[in-house]
Amino acid sequence: MLDIAPSQQAAAWLGSFARALEAGDIEAVANLFVEDCYWRDLLTFTWNIKTMEGRAAIRDMLVATLATARPLRWSLTGEASVDDGIIEAWFSFETVVARGEGILRLKDGRCRSLFTAMSELKGFEEQKGPARPLGIRHKADPDRETWAEARAREARDLGVREQPYCLVIGGGQGGIMLGARLRQLGVPAIIIEKNARAGDSWRNRYRSLVLHDPVWYDHLPYIPFPENWPVFTPKDKMGDWLEMYARVMELNYWVATKCVSAAYDEAEKAWTVIVDRVGQRITLKPKHIVFATGAYGPPRQISLPGAEAFKGEILHSSQYSSGEKFRGKRVAVIGAASSGHDVSVDLWEAGAMVTMVQRSPTTVVKSDTLMEVGFEIFSEKALARGITTDKADMIVASTPFALVPKGQRALYDIIRERDADFYKRLSDSGFALDFGEDETGLLMKAYRTGSGFYIDVGACELIINGQIAVRSGVGIKSLTPSGILFDDSSELAVDAIISCTGYRSMNETVAAIVSREVADRVGPCWGLGSGVRGDPGPWQGELRNMWKPTAQEALGFHGGNLALSRFYSKFVALQLKARMEGIATPVYGEPSNAGR
């Protein structure tokens, strides 16, 4: 069989797989996989975001889901490819309620990894492309309601005369993208945002903030950035784009609105949510709430003994907007990840004397290097080869998290060799470098802890040249009236301290709005359970609590960077649409915090 063309091998395997599923022969299905196998499913079988690792896990999943899913019409889409002995092929299929697509990878005739993802719900497809709405009836009508009148009526009634099915708490990039997906699926939703304008979550950050990820990686659903958009987006430009997007996508977006409290009624199967909208208390009764309050959660404030004695100013990076008022002053930046570097550069540009206090080693990658070797499938070259953003998203999602470290370790071997001189000069400057506990680099740190990394867009040369000083390898003992006293008895005199110490889990936002009990039941968000510092086990196989059912009924989380928000907003929206329409959605797999 190994002499047969890749597409024929893939078609033969897919045919055997489909026949075994149709016959309900779960043992035959399992035997089509290698021992060390993975099946990652986004909703189609599990109504969950879940990876089954090993034949036994696949058997267990199919025993629980096959009779309900009733998959059929499996078919290859396009030609298979082969790389290093692994055959890869794309396919489409259906379940009783949905259409799906996926990617299979074969090794020696058996499946090494399978990826299945829901594309759309049957009978509830998005009205786009050939199915786009007409937008007007071509006839005279004295009772005609114009588009503007209909939008005004909807905005006036939703939340007053009519209740939203879903309330999205947080109107940044994640909330806006989820709102757009829900809008296209006809799910009534309100997005609430505490700031005065859509996009302010970007505008209100420090003045020099620019996206470190390239434009091809950062598109929003339905409306990609135009072809003249810069590779790296400045924060205010991003804010304007989000504001435009929310308006053009016709989102019901409430600005200057804070969520005061939320309580779930188990009998009524609805939430009672109190919001403060421009000073007016309003009660909403959504069936579902989604927290989209940022990639992580509230700011993480660290304890600084002696803070009450310090005569200068102490700020968290979330409160920092500009270095202008620190011109000519001595400033310590506590933290050496992305925000720590960006704030340090902004302060230096404003004329401050900056010392970065590095509490633990940082993974650093040069931006141009990462663009060339790390974002290869999100690029103009990829587009020229037919790899669209949607296709690149699927390629990334098709790799089980358990297999990502091996590839990242190999990638960072290349990066370290390519930029060896850069790393030596940075290390010689006193800056502590690492590439993760298992040498897997930036991406795995992002997935595991969301911290401890920096894509270099200029700060490192300032550090190497001594224009930004670094104190590393020594802990903070206490603050003094005039500065910072370190464990080695040395003291740094400063006029201000900026804590770039990151953010807490999103479930802490739940604690403040719903209850501590619910927050603890749900458990922390993010991380894979890898066992590294900051990401305790047990192994999850997926990001904790993200984009899927949680231990609290009718409560979900949506977040991540622009790319993750773009991709997974679709699956959050499909879950909500199915439940709104009364489609059975039996969830396979326990919530992230089950049993802990």
Side-chain angles (χ1 to χ4, degrees), residues 94-105:
E94 295 182 20
T95 68
V96 68
V97 298
R99 298 180 185 88
E101 56 186 333
I103 301 173
L104 63 87
R105 296 186 178 94

PDB file of all heavy atoms in Angstrom, residues 94-105:
ATOM      1  N   GLU A  94     -20.145  15.056   7.411  1.00  0.00           N
ATOM      2  CA  GLU A  94     -21.333  15.585   8.070  1.00  0.00           C
ATOM      3  C   GLU A  94     -21.649  14.763   9.308  1.00  0.00           C
ATOM      4  O   GLU A  94     -21.255  13.593   9.415  1.00  0.00           O
ATOM      5  CB  GLU A  94     -22.549  15.551   7.129  1.00  0.00           C
ATOM      6  CG  GLU A  94     -22.429  16.445   5.918  1.00  0.00           C
ATOM      7  CD  GLU A  94     -23.665  16.413   5.036  1.00  0.00           C
ATOM      8  OE1 GLU A  94     -24.745  16.000   5.558  1.00  0.00           O
ATOM      9  OE2 GLU A  94     -23.567  16.767   3.857  1.00  0.00           O
ATOM     10  N   THR A  95     -22.348  15.392  10.242  1.00  0.00           N
ATOM     11  CA  THR A  95     -23.012  14.655  11.319  1.00  0.00           C
ATOM     12  C   THR A  95     -24.503  14.854  11.121  1.00  0.00           C
ATOM     13  O   THR A  95     -24.932  15.514  10.158  1.00  0.00           O
ATOM     14  CB  THR A  95     -22.590  15.161  12.709  1.00  0.00           C
ATOM     15  OG1 THR A  95     -23.097  16.490  12.892  1.00  0.00           O
ATOM     16  CG2 THR A  95     -21.072  15.151  12.868  1.00  0.00           C
ATOM     17  N   VAL A  96     -25.303  14.355  12.020  1.00  0.00           N
ATOM     18  CA  VAL A  96     -26.747  14.482  11.859  1.00  0.00           C
ATOM     19  C   VAL A  96     -27.186  15.945  11.920  1.00  0.00           C
ATOM     20  O   VAL A  96     -28.198  16.316  11.309  1.00  0.00           O
ATOM     21  CB  VAL A  96     -27.484  13.639  12.919  1.00  0.00           C
ATOM     22  CG1 VAL A  96     -27.287  14.187  14.317  1.00  0.00           C
ATOM     23  CG2 VAL A  96     -28.965  13.508  12.576  1.00  0.00           C
ATOM     24  N   VAL A  97     -26.424  16.809  12.601  1.00  0.00           N
ATOM     25  CA  VAL A  97     -26.855  18.202  12.749  1.00  0.00           C
ATOM     26  C   VAL A  97     -25.901  19.216  12.128  1.00  0.00           C
ATOM     27  O   VAL A  97     -26.228  20.404  12.064  1.00  0.00           O
ATOM     28  CB  VAL A  97     -27.036  18.575  14.242  1.00  0.00           C
ATOM     29  CG1 VAL A  97     -28.109  17.720  14.891  1.00  0.00           C
ATOM     30  CG2 VAL A  97     -25.720  18.490  15.000  1.00  0.00           C
ATOM     31  N   ALA A  98     -24.729  18.772  11.648  1.00  0.00           N
ATOM     32  CA  ALA A  98     -23.733  19.752  11.218  1.00  0.00           C
ATOM     33  C   ALA A  98     -22.911  19.241  10.052  1.00  0.00           C
ATOM     34  O   ALA A  98     -22.899  18.046   9.734  1.00  0.00           O
ATOM     35  CB  ALA A  98     -22.812  20.099  12.391  1.00  0.00           C
ATOM     36  N   ARG A  99     -22.218  20.188   9.428  1.00  0.00           N
ATOM     37  CA  ARG A  99     -21.184  19.874   8.450  1.00  0.00           C
ATOM     38  C   ARG A  99     -19.828  20.167   9.065  1.00  0.00           C
ATOM     39  O   ARG A  99     -19.701  21.085   9.875  1.00  0.00           O
ATOM     40  CB  ARG A  99     -21.380  20.687   7.168  1.00  0.00           C
ATOM     41  CG  ARG A  99     -22.693  20.388   6.458  1.00  0.00           C
ATOM     42  CD  ARG A  99     -22.888  21.193   5.185  1.00  0.00           C
ATOM     43  NE  ARG A  99     -24.222  20.938   4.627  1.00  0.00           N
ATOM     44  CZ  ARG A  99     -25.313  21.621   4.966  1.00  0.00           C
ATOM     45  NH1 ARG A  99     -25.221  22.628   5.838  1.00  0.00           N
ATOM     46  NH2 ARG A  99     -26.476  21.317   4.442  1.00  0.00           N
ATOM     47  N   GLY A 100     -18.854  19.383   8.665  1.00  0.00           N
ATOM     48  CA  GLY A 100     -17.536  19.554   9.249  1.00  0.00           C
ATOM     49  C   GLY A 100     -16.433  19.391   8.228  1.00  0.00           C
ATOM     50  O   GLY A 100     -16.659  18.991   7.080  1.00  0.00           O
ATOM     51  N   GLU A 101     -15.240  19.717   8.652  1.00  0.00           N
ATOM     52  CA  GLU A 101     -14.052  19.543   7.832  1.00  0.00           C
ATOM     53  C   GLU A 101     -12.917  19.107   8.740  1.00  0.00           C
ATOM     54  O   GLU A 101     -13.005  19.217   9.973  1.00  0.00           O
ATOM     55  CB  GLU A 101     -13.692  20.852   7.115  1.00  0.00           C
ATOM     56  CG  GLU A 101     -13.493  22.031   8.043  1.00  0.00           C
ATOM     57  CD  GLU A 101     -13.288  23.335   7.294  1.00  0.00           C
ATOM     58  OE1 GLU A 101     -12.798  23.293   6.159  1.00  0.00           O
ATOM     59  OE2 GLU A 101     -13.624  24.393   7.858  1.00  0.00           O
ATOM     60  N   GLY A 102     -11.862  18.609   8.144  1.00  0.00           N
ATOM     61  CA  GLY A 102     -10.769  18.156   8.989  1.00  0.00           C
ATOM     62  C   GLY A 102      -9.524  17.826   8.206  1.00  0.00           C
ATOM     63  O   GLY A 102      -9.450  17.981   6.986  1.00  0.00           O
ATOM     64  N   ILE A 103      -8.532  17.366   8.947  1.00  0.00           N
ATOM     65  CA  ILE A 103      -7.231  17.015   8.394  1.00  0.00           C
ATOM     66  C   ILE A 103      -6.803  15.697   9.031  1.00  0.00           C
ATOM     67  O   ILE A 103      -6.897  15.524  10.251  1.00  0.00           O
ATOM     68  CB  ILE A 103      -6.173  18.105   8.700  1.00  0.00           C
ATOM     69  CG1 ILE A 103      -6.608  19.451   8.109  1.00  0.00           C
ATOM     70  CG2 ILE A 103      -4.807  17.704   8.162  1.00  0.00           C
ATOM     71  CD1 ILE A 103      -5.700  20.621   8.513  1.00  0.00           C
ATOM     72  N   LEU A 104      -6.347  14.777   8.205  1.00  0.00           N
ATOM     73  CA  LEU A 104      -5.808  13.518   8.713  1.00  0.00           C
ATOM     74  C   LEU A 104      -4.341  13.409   8.337  1.00  0.00           C
ATOM     75  O   LEU A 104      -3.903  13.923   7.313  1.00  0.00           O
ATOM     76  CB  LEU A 104      -6.604  12.323   8.179  1.00  0.00           C
ATOM     77  CG  LEU A 104      -6.616  12.066   6.662  1.00  0.00           C
ATOM     78  CD1 LEU A 104      -5.436  11.214   6.206  1.00  0.00           C
ATOM     79  CD2 LEU A 104      -7.934  11.395   6.262  1.00  0.00           C
ATOM     80  N   ARG A 105      -3.597  12.737   9.194  1.00  0.00           N
ATOM     81  CA  ARG A 105      -2.169  12.498   8.924  1.00  0.00           C
ATOM     82  C   ARG A 105      -1.889  11.020   9.165  1.00  0.00           C
ATOM     83  O   ARG A 105      -2.160  10.506  10.257  1.00  0.00           O
ATOM     84  CB  ARG A 105      -1.289  13.391   9.800  1.00  0.00           C
ATOM     85  CG  ARG A 105      -1.478  14.873   9.488  1.00  0.00           C
ATOM     86  CD  ARG A 105      -0.501  15.769  10.257  1.00  0.00           C
ATOM     87  NE  ARG A 105      -0.706  17.172   9.885  1.00  0.00           N
ATOM     88  CZ  ARG A 105      -1.481  18.024  10.544  1.00  0.00           C
ATOM     89  NH1 ARG A 105      -2.117  17.608  11.628  1.00  0.00           N
ATOM     90  NH2 ARG A 105      -1.622  19.267  10.142  1.00  0.00           N
TER      91      ARG A 105
END
